[in-house]
Amino acid sequence: FDTPALSGSLKATDTIPIINTAPGGTQRGATATVAQVLSAGGYLAGGSTRTLAAADSGSTTKLDTLTGSVVTLPAATGSGGKYRFWIKLATTSVGYSIATAPTTDIFAGVIYGEDGDGEPANSWPTAADSNKITLGGTSLATGGAIGDWIEVEDVTSGVWAVKGSLTQGGTEATPFSHV
């Protein structure tokens, strides 16, 4: 397997060869962009706002801001891109939100929420127009505890599959809404 000699700096859009080095791995000839390799499996800080790009697929965004974060997904095109969200720090005010862009894209799936009351977990299916997930804030009604997680996958044009696990408290409510 020959690799081309590099001249100059690599750009995020440059394609590089990938060799499977796992035990028994013999696949050669696969390629990825530099941006895909650098973001695969990596962690991103949520900060107060973050707009994700296709190159962020495979990453986990840590929701890590006491005053909450607003995260916007790229348009769903059917790329198969996966994005994970993990709550590192519970918020004390507005909470965390994950929204589709454009707002005509929707989430489809179920998020489960456990409230610790010994009864079965709550299941929160999406509505036909769900395009925003809100977690935390001043209560745990929609989740938002440290360790809660959400995963979305770009399954087809305009649709994000969603699944996740939340810790809820108080008067539990769906984390899904439409804006």
Side-chain angles (χ1 to χ4, degrees):
F1 192 100
D2 293 326
T3 20
L6 297 175
S7 63
S9 300
L10 287 173
K11 297 182 299 268
T13 56
D14 287 341
T15 301
I16 57 176
I18 304 296
I19 301 171
N20 182 354
T21 60
T26 58
Q27 178 184 5
R28 297 183 188 275
T31 62
T33 66
V34 170
Q36 289 170 323
V37 171
L38 293 177
S39 70
Y43 291 103
L44 303 172
S48 59
T49 61
R50 174 168 288 280
T51 300
L52 296 173
D56 296 319
S57 176
S59 65
T60 298
T61 299
K62 291 182 180 180
L63 302 174
D64 57 359
T65 306
L66 192 60
T67 56
S69 301
V70 175
V71 180
T72 305
L73 294 164
T77 62
S79 71
K82 290 184 180 180
Y83 304 81
R84 290 175 302 278
F85 304 92
W86 181 75
I87 296 187
K88 179 180 177 182
L89 183 65
T91 67
T92 58
S93 57
V94 297
Y96 297 113
S97 69
I98 303 164
T100 64
T103 57
T104 53
D105 284 1
I106 62 165
F107 292 112
V110 176
I111 293 177
Y112 294 95
E114 175 55 47
D115 61 6
D117 64 3
E119 296 176 2
N122 298 307
S123 60
W124 302 107
T126 55
D129 63 352
S130 297
N131 63 2
K132 183 178 180 182
I133 300 169
T134 303
L135 307 170
T138 57
S139 76
L140 290 177
T142 60
I146 295 171
D148 286 1
W149 62 272
I150 304 284
E151 182 176 289
V152 298
E153 181 176 358
D154 179 1
V155 292
T156 192
S157 180
V159 180
W160 289 95
V162 63
K163 62 183 176 180
S165 178
L166 307 174
T167 303
Q168 295 185 289
T171 304
E172 299 90 4
T174 181
F176 296 110
S177 62
H178 175 78
V179 292

